[in-house]
Amino acid sequence: MKVKTILVSQPEPKVENSPYFDLEEKQKVKIDFIPFIHVEGVSSKDVRQQKVDLSKYTAIILTSRNSVDHFFRIAEEMRFKVPDTLKYFCQSEAVAYYLQKYVVYRKRKIYVGKRTFAELSPLIKKYKNEKFLLPSSDMLKPDVPKTLNKLGVDWKQAIFYKTVVSDLSHLREVFYDILVFFSPSGIKSLFENFPDFQQNNTRIAVFGNTTVKAAKEHGLTVNIQAPTPETPSMTMALEKYIKEQNKKHS
């Protein structure tokens, strides 16, 4: 089956030079972006019920842009003045860069990991005497608490935002050649919106092992998988598959 249409279950990339736009142009396919899940902030009352007193922490661990936004939102709702002495431990450059939206960089103590949480842990270990707060979603990756417990630091996780299934009812009669998923919650959203979903001729593309597992648990056949040594990104995996299929059926 030739590939003409692709649905990516994420928001549209904000950058003009996204590899998805190249893919559209080069392979003459139509790509739509619709987030299957979205993030909703929890109230400051909910945070208080988790026994969180922001003034008790000397360091904040930020794993994503969402955690940055929701930490400062909650601080504002609680009328908590974020002290200049607070230390920020950011999982990646992108998170640290985003932090500038809220703090003057020069004046703050900011520590930056490379990409994964494990790469941030040596920096946290150096500051063992701090009291760490980890503002997160309700779907925190299990390696994060595991790593922090192993380091033996004083830390607390608090849920500042939640991952929520988006309403996709407008897609009921719309069919795509390929559906692209990046997380188990994307797969969950598909079946919560369409419990009777039948794969039929739709090809399923997934990123990451946990997403592969979720797809198979829901009885889906995975046709395209990334990352692999040959195709480390989703766009590369899609391009390879489209070329093969469209050549076969041309």
Side-chain angles (χ1 to χ4, degrees):
M1 295 280 291
K2 253 187 164 179
V3 176
K4 289 178 185 154
T5 57
I6 299 171
L7 175 59
V8 177
S9 60
Q10 277 193 333
E12 186 162 339
K14 289 209 168 44
V15 289
E16 282 168 22
N17 57 353
S18 164
Y20 283 103
F21 304 143
D22 286 349
L23 184 66
E24 251 186 328
E25 219 164 88
K26 273 205 244 156
Q27 300 305 322
K28 307 280 180 278
V29 290
K30 183 182 183 319
I31 303 177
D32 289 339
F33 297 88
I34 298 172
F36 277 34
I37 49 174
H38 61 277
V39 160
E40 279 176 13
V42 306
S43 70
S44 53
K45 186 180 161 216
D46 282 344
V47 174
R48 274 200 193 94
Q49 281 172 348
Q50 297 173 58
K51 301 203 171 29
V52 172
D53 173 354
L54 295 181
S55 66
K56 296 268 188 286
Y57 300 96
T58 58
I60 303 287
I61 299 170
L62 299 165
T63 54
S64 68
R65 290 173 200 189
N66 280 323
S67 63
V68 176
D69 281 336
H70 291 284
F71 169 69
F72 286 97
R73 175 184 63 83
I74 290 288
E76 197 177 312
E77 278 179 27
M78 289 182 166
R79 297 199 169 83
F80 172 72
K81 190 181 177 315
V82 178
D84 292 355
T85 52
L86 193 66
K87 293 183 170 77
Y88 299 93
F89 290 80
C90 302
Q91 183 166 323
S92 65
E93 283 286 353
V95 176
Y97 183 72
Y98 189 71
L99 185 59
Q100 293 185 50
K101 191 175 157 185
Y102 297 96
V103 301
V104 180
Y105 226 67
R106 292 190 321 281
K107 296 181 181 173
R108 298 295 196 273
K109 296 185 167 70
I110 296 163
Y111 308 91
V112 188
K114 290 198 174 66
R115 197 177 54 87
T116 66
F117 194 75
E119 289 167 323
L120 179 63
S121 66
L123 289 169
I124 295 173
K125 195 179 176 181
K126 263 189 199 166
Y127 293 89
K128 259 200 149 127
N129 300 328
E130 304 294 336
K131 278 185 75 101
F132 291 94
L133 177 67
L134 174 72
S136 75
S137 82
D138 54 338
M139 314 252 315
L140 183 66
K141 286 186 177 147
D143 66 317
V144 175
K146 218 189 255 165
T147 305
L148 289 169
N149 288 336
K150 224 184 195 162
L151 291 173
V153 292
D154 183 351
W155 73 283
K156 181 177 173 68
Q157 178 196 355
I159 292 168
F160 277 44
Y161 53 100
K162 287 185 169 162
T163 306
V164 184
V165 164
S166 304
D167 176 9
L168 304 174
S169 49
H170 60 295
L171 292 177
R172 180 159 289 284
E173 297 305 320
V174 188
F175 299 96
Y176 288 90
D177 296 322
I178 299 177
L179 297 181
V180 185
F181 295 97
F182 289 87
S183 69
S185 32
I187 305 273
K188 181 182 159 213
S189 172
L190 173 70
F191 284 93
E192 272 191 30
N193 275 284
F194 312 111
D196 50 356
F197 176 79
Q198 298 287 322
Q199 186 169 347
N200 300 328
N201 292 325
T202 305
R203 270 62 60 86
I204 301 289
V206 294
F207 192 89
N209 294 334
T210 54
T211 317
V212 172
K213 191 168 169 267
K216 288 180 176 166
E217 279 167 4
H218 281 87
L220 296 173
T221 301
V222 173
N223 310 89
I224 302 155
Q225 197 175 328
T228 66
E230 193 187 347
T231 55
S233 73
M234 179 50 84
T235 43
M236 288 165 107
L238 287 168
E239 182 165 33
K240 180 175 180 277
Y241 182 85
I242 295 165
K243 275 183 178 165
E244 286 167 2
Q245 291 302 307
N246 290 359
K247 199 168 147 190
K248 236 190 249 176
H249 300 282
S250 58

